[in-house]
Amino acid sequence: MKEAHPLKLSRSLAEFERGKTLTPGGVLGIRRPYNFVEGEYPIYVTDGQGCRITDMDGNQYIDYLCAYGPIILGYREHEVDEAVIAQIKDHGFCFSLTQPIQNVLAEKLRSLIPSAEMSIFVKTGSDATSLAIRIARGYTQRLKVLRCGYHGWHDWCVEVKGGVPPKLFEDVLEFHYNDIDGLESLLKEHGSDTAAIIITPFGHPLAEKLEEPRDNFLQKVRDLADHYGCVLIFDEIRTGFRMSLGGAQAHYGVTPDISAFGKAMANGYEISAVVGKQHIMAIAEKEVFVSSTFFPNSLSMVAALKTIEILERDNVLGTIWSRGEKFLTDMRATVQQSGVPAEVSGIPPMQFITFQKDPEKKYKQKRNDFFTQLIRRGVFMQPYHHGYICYRHTPADLDHTMAMIRESLQYVAEKNY
Ligand code: PMP
């Protein structure tokens, strides 16, 4: 298979040099070039429409990162944007008092999400997971937190520890997805002082295979939380409004006490929610404090309600699941037929191609080559983070993508390493 032509990225790269003099690292964290293939991926995007994005140099891509999750319908989704514009023009959105739309959204979540008796609206996923932990600690009057998954950038869970005093995370202990014995042994030691178990209900560790619960894992976690009297928190930031309208908890039939929702909830507008059982959430009435200037702003609530309306009206998730089912099946077959030592994992709305590790670490070059060939062919996927599909990925887009995956794998299969 012929090597695809390198992309013209000169504007992006020059802008990045300027950015580095203005912002530490030029761009933040997960969007930095080392998270892609350096020199092969664009750094700045200027436009998005449907499932496509356009970079500063005018290259267009079919995008499978979906802004790291928020894009569930598509970029620049007219109906959602029009609802937001109408709110700006007809009412306004930033006030000294709360707008009644907050109740409308909370009622909507209550009708869809099994654990959502009450809701608190915040802005980011990290806001929501951190608030959930504070509520659990306030409610139980206990200290320890047992965690599994990525939960954001705040002090209690950030992976990079610079600037964070150890006392802010030393009571937070980690266990692995699907490792019920690991969780149980932590609880044997710390159970009576454990405030919360927080877990992503679907396993999506960075750069590793995606994992569904095995052997009744989530129910066993639920049972352990009950046995030790700790609050069970599902971090549904990625699964919410994607796996099902009621999140992974509705999909797998295990109800936590509290959950964090965000990302896909408003098709890109910034909102997240802590939802949970009334008797636990009530602690945030007095003892646990939460307030922020922008939390009650209504634009993203309008966007959330409109997004959810479209998700329900057009059976969006049903469509994503059925298209994703074929996409995942084709991807498995394509990878297997290529002979490249790679694996496909995931569920229809979220899928990932990971490269099998070898002692000589040749997989790193193979991975770089594969994702280089793919981006040059106009398919935007991330080497260390799974992909998502959104409603605007048409069957033709998905088939075209599969052809590009096939060519890129063939390139790797034919190269000598
Ligand atoms: N939890 C999960 C499962 C996430 O995937 C993320 C973001 N990737 C977060 C929490 C943090 O969300 P945010 O980046 O919006 O703060």
Side-chain angles (χ1 to χ4, degrees), residues 17 65 76 89 113 146 162 179 278 281 285 288 292 311 314 327 337-338 343 354 362 385 390 414:
E17 291 309 310
L65 208 45
R76 253 196 292 165
K89 286 192 171 160
I113 302 167
L146 311 185
D179 179 12
Q278 192 272 337
M281 295 289 280
E285 218 176 290
V288 165
S292 184
L311 293 179
D314 297 345
F327 190 56
Q337 281 156 16
S338 74
E343 283 166 287
T354 46
K362 287 184 179 168
H385 191 292
C390 72
E414 288 166 9

Side-chain angles (χ1 to χ4, degrees), residues 77-234:
E77 192 66 31
H78 190 68
E79 268 188 276
V80 179
D81 293 343
E82 285 303 313
V84 168
I85 291 164
Q87 181 75 17
I88 296 173
K89 286 192 171 160
D90 301 343
H91 303 287
F93 59 92
C94 180
F95 294 106
S96 318
L97 297 175
T98 304
Q99 290 176 272
I101 191 173
Q102 174 174 297
N103 290 344
V104 183
L105 184 56
E107 270 173 355
K108 189 77 216 169
L109 298 195
R110 182 188 277 173
S111 75
L112 293 172
I113 302 167
S115 63
E117 292 171 12
M118 297 193 113
S119 299
I120 299 173
F121 297 107
V122 289
K123 286 281 168 241
T124 70
S126 304
D127 290 342
T129 56
S130 300
L131 176 57
I133 295 298
R134 189 183 291 180
I135 287 173
R137 281 175 161 160
Y139 174 75
T140 57
Q141 299 285 306
R142 295 176 179 181
L143 182 61
K144 298 263 191 290
V145 169
L146 311 185
R147 59 168 285 208
C148 171
Y150 178 82
H151 308 298
W153 70 276
H154 288 178
D155 288 343
W156 65 275
C157 63
V158 68
E159 319 279 326
V160 179
K161 301 299 187 195
V164 186
K167 62 181 163 198
L168 297 184
F169 57 80
E170 66 197 10
D171 294 303
V172 179
L173 307 164
E174 269 191 83
F175 64 100
H176 293 290
Y177 194 83
N178 272 327
D179 179 12
I180 199 69
D181 295 340
L183 174 62
E184 191 163 16
S185 63
L186 284 176
L187 283 165
K188 276 191 182 134
E189 196 175 341
H190 304 289
S192 61
D193 195 25
T194 296
I197 300 170
I198 180 167
I199 180 169
T200 60
F202 172 63
H204 43 66
L206 192 69
E208 302 285 343
K209 282 192 285 187
L210 300 172
E211 274 186 75
E212 286 213 86
R214 277 196 307 270
D215 195 19
N216 235 0
F217 175 64
L218 292 178
Q219 185 56 49
K220 288 179 181 164
V221 174
R222 172 75 271 180
D223 294 344
L224 283 173
D226 289 341
H227 181 77
Y228 286 94
C230 18
V231 173
L232 177 60
I233 304 169
F234 277 4

Side-chain angles (χ1 to χ4, degrees), residues 30-32 34-36 41 64-65 68 206 352-353 371 374 379-387:
I30 194 84
R31 292 178 167 89
R32 289 195 177 147
Y34 57 76
N35 291 300
F36 300 91
Y41 275 66
Y64 288 89
L65 208 45
Y68 282 99
L206 192 69
F352 200 15
I353 300 176
F371 284 98
L374 207 51
V379 173
F380 194 98
M381 286 187 179
Q382 221 263 27
Y384 310 105
H385 191 292
H386 62 81

Side-chain angles (χ1 to χ4, degrees), residues 366-398:
K366 290 179 187 173
R367 180 173 60 195
N368 266 9
D369 285 345
F370 171 69
F371 284 98
T372 296
Q373 293 304 308
L374 207 51
I375 192 74
R376 289 182 182 184
R377 286 171 167 80
V379 173
F380 194 98
M381 286 187 179
Q382 221 263 27
Y384 310 105
H385 191 292
H386 62 81
Y388 295 104
I389 61 174
C390 72
Y391 191 44
R392 300 294 174 201
H393 284 110
T394 65
D397 292 323
L398 298 170

